[in-house]
Amino acid sequence: MAAIRTLGKLCQQSQHQVCKLHTSALRQDAVVVSGRKLARQIREETQVDVEKWVLAGNRRPHLSVVLVGDDPASHSYVLNKTRAAADVGISSETILKHSDISEEELLDLIYKLNADHRVDGLLVQLPLPDHIDERVICNAVAPAKDVDGFHVVNVGRMCLDQSTMLPATPWGVWEIIKRTGIPTFGKNVLVAGRSKNVGMPIAMLLHTDGRHERPGGDATVTISHRYTPKEQLCQHTKMADIIVAAAGIPNLITADMIKEGAAVIDVGINRIQDPVTGKSRLVGDVDFEGVKKKAGFITPVPGGVGPMTVAMLMKNTIKAAKNVLQIPAERTEQQRAVSVVGHS
């Protein structure tokens, strides 16, 4: 009798192993989410919105971009933004300033653009030279024209789940998740990176109440940062249904750190030297080739979050054009007061 029971257990184990082998053989790579394709859809929606706005008798939306210095990456980003604007029917201009411009001169330019009724959306390309306080500059842009969503008023409204200008990259991540059909309600999320312009807003969008004025994702969110020990980071990533990598560290997230079927959104943009070719190339914060064999969804770099950032910026610009009719322009004295508070 004992021999029969033993034989039965061996059969069960054998069947279990065969089942596991069969399952692993059927395991497919992650769905690679094309940010370019989603961004194209959003830009088409924006183009329709812009044309409806113009046909209703309104002035064509206008975006002003202030570019300080000669950083090649910044110039490339700005060119992508102005090309996207033209593509959706938004007029734009790039105002170039030398890197030695003083903070006061830059503030005066911003106040002038704030007061210009022809300017709907306004952004100052970051980063800025070291002698200029970025927070002061972000707070100087009128909240109704702040298409980057960096003004303290817009950040505060976002944190209070109110309608506002959302930062373009976090909003792009949110749209990727929603439009791909990745569930967030009650899910565990790990956001790697706590920057005020990317990591923190992404966490806010994902964890806040879905019933509020600005609906959130109702997820349980953990934020890691540079001082999170690697072993703790691994514990959090292995529990996460969604991982958003936005730390600026190449190959931070590897296959052994994630659970089977997790959604992995790679926000990182890192330029490294290819050990084989010796040429520089762009990579994210995720080991793409390794992780895609285990994840359920993954975004590539390039071609993932980047195009979405530009697309959401266009959405914010048409929103800014409509806000001009609803939010009275602030007086220069008020703007200066806000920037002084941000500087103190």
Side-chain angles (χ1 to χ4, degrees):
M1 195 71 182
I4 294 175
R5 284 199 298 266
T6 302
L7 183 60
K9 287 181 181 179
L10 287 172
C11 289
Q12 287 178 349
Q13 289 174 359
S14 177
Q15 288 175 347
H16 179 65
Q17 288 172 350
V18 169
C19 183
K20 281 179 66 178
L21 287 170
H22 183 65
T23 303
S24 61
L26 293 176
R27 175 71 171 93
Q28 295 180 335
D29 286 357
V31 174
V32 179
V33 181
S34 172
R36 290 192 177 99
K37 183 176 180 181
L38 291 175
R40 197 178 308 119
Q41 293 174 2
I42 292 168
R43 281 160 65 160
E44 288 172 357
E45 294 167 7
T46 305
Q47 184 179 27
V48 170
D49 202 7
V50 168
E51 293 312 312
K52 283 183 179 178
W53 178 251
V54 173
L55 287 173
N58 299 296
R59 179 178 44 77
R60 188 168 294 280
H62 180 81
L63 172 67
S64 290
V65 183
V66 178
L67 178 56
V68 179
D70 52 8
D71 177 65
S74 291
H75 278 256
S76 177
Y77 295 149
V78 168
L79 183 60
N80 287 340
K81 292 169 185 178
T82 54
R83 282 176 174 170
D87 186 49
V88 301
I90 293 172
S91 66
S92 67
E93 64 175 338
T94 301
I95 303 171
L96 296 172
K97 291 296 175 182
H98 198 272
S99 58
D100 63 2
I101 187 173
S102 70
E103 185 174 289
E104 190 62 31
E105 288 174 315
L106 185 54
L107 286 170
D108 286 341
L109 172 61
I110 292 170
Y111 299 141
K112 178 183 176 183
L113 295 169
N114 284 344
D116 190 340
H117 73 279
R118 296 168 299 177
V119 176
D120 300 303
L122 171 59
L123 71 87
V124 181
Q125 182 65 39
L126 302 180
L128 291 169
D130 292 341
H131 67 279
I132 297 176
D133 189 320
E134 290 186 354
R135 177 42 51 196
V136 170
I137 299 305
C138 291
N139 282 346
V141 177
K145 298 188 178 188
D146 172 35
V147 291
D148 263 338
F150 292 164
H151 191 285
V152 65
V153 168
N154 287 327
V155 174
R157 289 181 63 85
M158 177 191 66
C159 291
L160 292 172
D161 303 350
Q162 296 177 342
S163 295
T164 190
M165 296 284 195
L166 295 175
T169 297
W171 191 11
V173 170
W174 180 226
E175 285 296 317
I176 285 174
I177 290 171
K178 287 197 299 181
R179 290 176 184 244
T180 306
I182 298 168
T184 60
F185 188 90
K187 300 297 184 179
N188 288 322
V189 177
L190 184 281
V191 178
R194 61 179 176 184
S195 73
K196 296 298 179 281
N197 294 342
V198 181
M200 183 275 286
I202 288 172
M204 292 302 303
L205 294 175
L206 287 170
H207 95 268
T208 49
D209 199 316
R211 300 169 299 175
H212 286 181
E213 180 181 330
R214 191 272 300 148
D218 285 307
T220 301
V221 179
T222 300
I223 304 177
S224 69
H225 48 78
R226 71 179 70 180
Y227 300 119
T228 304
K230 182 75 172 182
E231 60 272 16
Q232 284 189 22
L233 175 61
C234 290
Q235 290 174 10
H236 291 301
T237 55
K238 287 177 179 177
M239 291 191 300
D241 303 294
I242 301 171
I243 296 172
V244 181
I249 302 173
N251 293 323
L252 174 67
I253 306 298
T254 52
D256 60 307
M257 296 171 64
I258 74 166
K259 74 176 184 179
E260 193 88 20
V264 182
I265 312 297
D266 194 350
V267 189
I269 301 177
N270 310 289
R271 189 169 291 280
I272 65 167
Q273 188 174 33
D274 192 302
V276 177
T277 65
K279 297 179 180 179
S280 67
R281 62 186 179 92
L282 287 179
V283 299
D285 289 358
V286 176
D287 174 18
F288 182 81
E289 293 302 324
V291 170
K292 79 174 183 180
K293 298 183 184 305
K294 194 173 179 183
F297 296 90
I298 190 170
T299 61
V301 176
V305 175
M308 292 293 290
T309 296
V310 178
M312 304 325 294
L313 182 66
M314 298 304 108
K315 282 272 195 185
N316 268 347
T317 303
I318 180 62
K319 184 187 292 188
K322 296 176 180 180
N323 277 343
V324 170
L325 304 180
Q326 302 167 11
I327 302 177
E330 297 183 38
R331 293 195 299 272
T332 301
E333 292 80 8
Q334 290 174 318
Q335 293 164 357
R336 288 183 183 274
V338 170
S339 68
V340 167
V341 169
H343 190 58
S344 61

